[in-house]
Amino acid sequence: MKKKLFGAVLTAAVLASSMTAMAEEETIKIGALFNLTGGQASIDTPSYQGFKLRADEINAAGGINGRQIEVISYDGKTDQATCANNAKKMIDVDGCVVVSGFSDSNYALAAGAIAQERQVPFVITGATLPDLCEQIGDYAFMVPFGDDTCAYAAAEYAYAEIGTKCYMMVDQSMEFTKTLASCFEERFTELGGEIVGSDSYMNGDPDFSAQIDRFLNDEGGSEFLFFSSVPNDAGPLVLQFRDKGVTLPIVSGDGFDTPLVAEVAGDQAYDVYISTHCSYTNEAENVQNFVKAYTDAYGTAPENAFAALGYDAMDLIGKALEKVEDPTDTAAIRDAIESTTDFKGVTGTISYTADSHKPDKTASILELVDGQFQFITEE
């Protein structure tokens, strides 16, 4: 009797284990690799939340061709080595068939090299180096526009509406900030504007007093400042310049699209204008649907445009997966993503070709008003 009972229990255990294994095999594993801590957290956390929100919506609607999405998430910790190591783990250990994430090109390059080597599609949520996909390879795709689009839009708005003489502050530690500044200067001077002075700093510098003093000693007749910055420096830059009595308008790119500007600078965060990926005051139905869904899911409105970029990335991946017969065939998934045309996301319309994995999108110009970025125009 004991032998029969033991056999029945063993059979049940084996069956349960087998069913669990089958269930695991039936999920489609997608890697979500974001910097949830460190200097990139204020933009990568909303991006991850947007990404996960869309995955949850797809699963609630029945998944992809009957299979659920399993989001495998790791924190890159704003460290390039950690990002690369986690990309390896996602692909080699967890079996992810797509890896997605990152709002800065330095970290995307580190992880993207791993994905390219293993021939796994790498969908970049927010990093904007114009030649990022070319540097990584043919398995890389950008959801956002490039730094050139962002910077050109900022330059065009600033020249038309703010002033023709600009003083620049550039973070020399990041590819993003150096490229953004170069593109801004290119377009601004092409329009007839003048860069009357410039200075530099390194990401994470706690004190900008030396740069501010140099500016105060020789403003060069500047009518506004252009800060080429990443998120964790944005608030301190504004606060310290304002505390030293600098009242000129401040213009920047999407690195300033972070709640940290208002949180750190407080009442000093005035006359700040940014070029970024979208505006949540846009009345388009898909934009407002996203704002409501995000707010319902997380108890707060989307913190910045990177939340929508993460959402669009997962949506784009989901639509590509619907086209493939075998969701473990990474080459077929890559081809399906590349065939994307007229994908209407929250942040704009995306199309790819074999020659370009960077979409051609417009940029939104926003002004910081009472601690919130408000839409002005689209460039």
Side-chain angles (χ1 to χ4, degrees), residues 128-194:
T128 50
L129 197 64
D131 63 348
L132 185 55
C133 292
E134 286 85 352
Q135 287 196 48
I136 294 171
D138 63 341
Y139 273 73
F141 297 86
M142 290 169 61
V143 172
F145 50 54
D147 292 324
D148 46 356
T149 298
C150 183
Y152 289 176
E156 289 163 8
Y157 178 78
Y159 182 81
E161 303 294 338
I162 300 176
T164 61
K165 294 184 177 182
C166 171
Y167 192 100
M168 300 179 69
M169 278 282 291
V170 183
D171 175 2
Q172 291 292 335
S173 66
M174 311 292 280
E175 288 302 315
F176 155 65
T177 48
K178 290 187 287 186
T179 303
L180 186 75
S182 174
C183 291
F184 177 88
E185 181 173 0
E186 174 188 302
R187 182 61 178 143
F188 189 68
T189 55
E190 183 180 78
L191 291 167
E194 181 183 358

Side-chain angles (χ1 to χ4, degrees), residues 31 33-34 44 47 51 98-109 111-113 115 121-129 131-137 139-145 277 306 309-310 312-314 316-317 337 350 352 357-359 361:
L33 186 47
F34 293 87
D44 264 20
S47 194
F51 189 89
V98 179
V99 173
S100 186
F102 297 120
S103 305
D104 183 86
S105 300
N106 286 47
Y107 309 101
L109 285 165
F122 182 54
V123 179
I124 301 154
T125 56
T128 50
L129 197 64
D131 63 348
L132 185 55
C133 292
E134 286 85 352
Q135 287 196 48
I136 294 171
Y139 273 73
F141 297 86
M142 290 169 61
V143 172
F145 50 54
H277 304 272
F306 293 92
L309 285 169
D312 282 351
M314 183 64 249
L316 184 146
I317 291 167
I337 296 173
I350 295 174
Y352 299 123
H357 290 179
K358 180 187 74 171
K361 298 161 75 176

Side-chain angles (χ1 to χ4, degrees), residues 39-114:
Q40 288 285 305
S42 71
I43 55 178
D44 264 20
T45 298
S47 194
Y48 167 68
Q49 290 181 166
F51 189 89
K52 186 66 167 56
L53 171 63
R54 185 58 189 141
D56 290 342
E57 290 177 346
I58 291 171
N59 285 339
I64 304 293
N65 300 326
R67 299 176 71 166
Q68 293 283 287
I69 293 169
E70 183 180 353
V71 175
I72 306 294
S73 174
Y74 292 113
D75 179 8
K77 301 181 180 180
T78 314
D79 177 78
Q80 292 179 58
T82 302
C83 292
N85 288 334
N86 283 339
K88 290 178 185 176
K89 186 177 180 183
M90 282 180 166
I91 298 168
D92 297 346
V93 178
D94 299 311
C96 292
V97 295
V98 179
V99 173
S100 186
F102 297 120
S103 305
D104 183 86
S105 300
N106 286 47
Y107 309 101
L109 285 165
I114 304 301

Side-chain angles (χ1 to χ4, degrees), residues 72-325:
I72 306 294
S73 174
Y74 292 113
D75 179 8
K77 301 181 180 180
T78 314
D79 177 78
Q80 292 179 58
T82 302
C83 292
N85 288 334
N86 283 339
K88 290 178 185 176
K89 186 177 180 183
M90 282 180 166
I91 298 168
D92 297 346
V93 178
D94 299 311
C96 292
V97 295
V98 179
V99 173
S100 186
F102 297 120
S103 305
D104 183 86
S105 300
N106 286 47
Y107 309 101
L109 285 165
I114 304 301
Q116 181 68 30
E117 181 182 277
R118 286 155 174 76
Q119 304 286 272
V120 168
F122 182 54
V123 179
I124 301 154
T125 56
T128 50
L129 197 64
D131 63 348
L132 185 55
C133 292
E134 286 85 352
Q135 287 196 48
I136 294 171
D138 63 341
Y139 273 73
F141 297 86
M142 290 169 61
V143 172
F145 50 54
D147 292 324
D148 46 356
T149 298
C150 183
Y152 289 176
E156 289 163 8
Y157 178 78
Y159 182 81
E161 303 294 338
I162 300 176
T164 61
K165 294 184 177 182
C166 171
Y167 192 100
M168 300 179 69
M169 278 282 291
V170 183
D171 175 2
Q172 291 292 335
S173 66
M174 311 292 280
E175 288 302 315
F176 155 65
T177 48
K178 290 187 287 186
T179 303
L180 186 75
S182 174
C183 291
F184 177 88
E185 181 173 0
E186 174 188 302
R187 182 61 178 143
F188 189 68
T189 55
E190 183 180 78
L191 291 167
E194 181 183 358
I195 305 299
V196 297
S198 65
D199 210 333
S200 63
Y201 65 97
M202 300 297 283
N203 174 231
D205 285 351
D207 185 1
F208 304 107
S209 57
Q211 289 92 336
I212 299 170
D213 288 343
R214 285 194 290 269
F215 169 75
L216 291 172
N217 288 333
D218 185 11
E219 296 182 11
S222 55
E223 296 172 295
F224 70 96
L225 293 155
F226 183 80
F227 290 157
S228 196
S229 166
V230 294
N232 60 316
D233 291 326
L237 277 166
V238 174
L239 178 63
Q240 291 181 38
F241 268 79
R242 293 293 190 236
D243 279 348
K244 285 261 193 171
V246 180
T247 60
L248 292 177
I250 293 169
V251 179
S252 191
D254 57 336
F256 255 57
D257 192 356
T258 167
L260 293 176
V261 179
E263 289 172 10
V264 174
D267 292 341
Q268 302 282 46
Y270 59 84
D271 250 4
V272 176
Y273 303 85
I274 66 168
S275 171
T276 191
H277 304 272
C278 71
S279 169
Y280 296 128
T281 58
N282 187 327
E283 292 300 321
E285 184 178 6
N286 67 330
V287 175
Q288 293 309 309
N289 286 344
F290 166 71
V291 172
K292 183 180 186 308
Y294 189 97
T295 304
D296 289 347
Y298 300 112
T300 183
E303 295 86 348
N304 48 38
F306 293 92
L309 285 169
Y311 184 89
D312 282 351
M314 183 64 249
D315 196 16
L316 184 146
I317 291 167
K319 286 179 169 54
L321 285 167
E322 289 175 354
K323 301 176 187 176
V324 301
E325 292 184 14

Side-chain angles (χ1 to χ4, degrees), residues 1-13:
M1 184 70 177
K2 288 182 179 179
K3 287 183 179 179
K4 288 183 179 180
L5 180 60
F6 176 76
V9 171
L10 183 61
T11 300

